[in-house]
């Protein structure tokens, strides 16, 4: 968790870690995986839910979880088990 006052860099740090923003200098790593060059492996080790969660009006929460699971390459059998 990140705690700090407004303007401390919490949101910017999360944007760097999730790959939404590219670092202008240096690098960000999650469990040794560079978020710029090895984004998928780094993302597999990151749990993140923004304060304005990404629910779409036409999707249930379960459908959204399946969507993200498929995007991450989780095999269909495992997705069914985890979203049942």
């Amino acid at each position: 968790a990140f705690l700090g006052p407004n303007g401390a860099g919490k949101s910017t740090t999360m944007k760097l870690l999730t790959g939404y923003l590219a670092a202008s200098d240096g690098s960000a790593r999650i469990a040794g995986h560079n978020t710029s060059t090895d984004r998928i492996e780094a993302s597999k080790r990151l749990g993140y839910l923004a304060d304005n969660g990404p629910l779409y009006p036409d999707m249930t929460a379960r459908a959204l979880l399946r969507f993200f699971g498929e995007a991450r390459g989780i095999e269909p059998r495992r997705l069914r088990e985890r979203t049942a």
Side-chain angles (χ1 to χ4, degrees):
F2 290 119
L3 299 173
N6 290 345
K10 300 177 302 291
S11 294
T12 301
T13 300
M14 288 309 301
K15 288 176 184 176
L16 288 167
L17 293 175
T18 59
Y20 183 75
L21 180 65
S24 58
D25 192 20
S27 63
R29 295 179 177 274
I30 300 172
H33 298 279
N34 187 306
T35 58
S36 295
T37 59
D38 200 7
R39 184 174 174 187
I40 299 298
E41 287 304 313
S43 294
K44 287 179 182 178
R45 291 155 176 87
L46 176 69
Y48 173 61
L49 179 62
D51 57 355
N52 56 350
L55 272 178
Y56 300 103
D58 59 330
M59 295 178 90
T60 64
R62 183 171 284 139
L64 184 69
L65 289 173
R66 278 194 207 112
F67 170 77
F68 284 121
E70 290 169 1
R72 298 282 185 198
I74 297 175
E75 61 188 60
R77 180 187 55 78
R78 188 163 182 219
L79 271 178
R80 282 191 303 275
E81 292 170 356
R82 294 183 72 178
T83 60

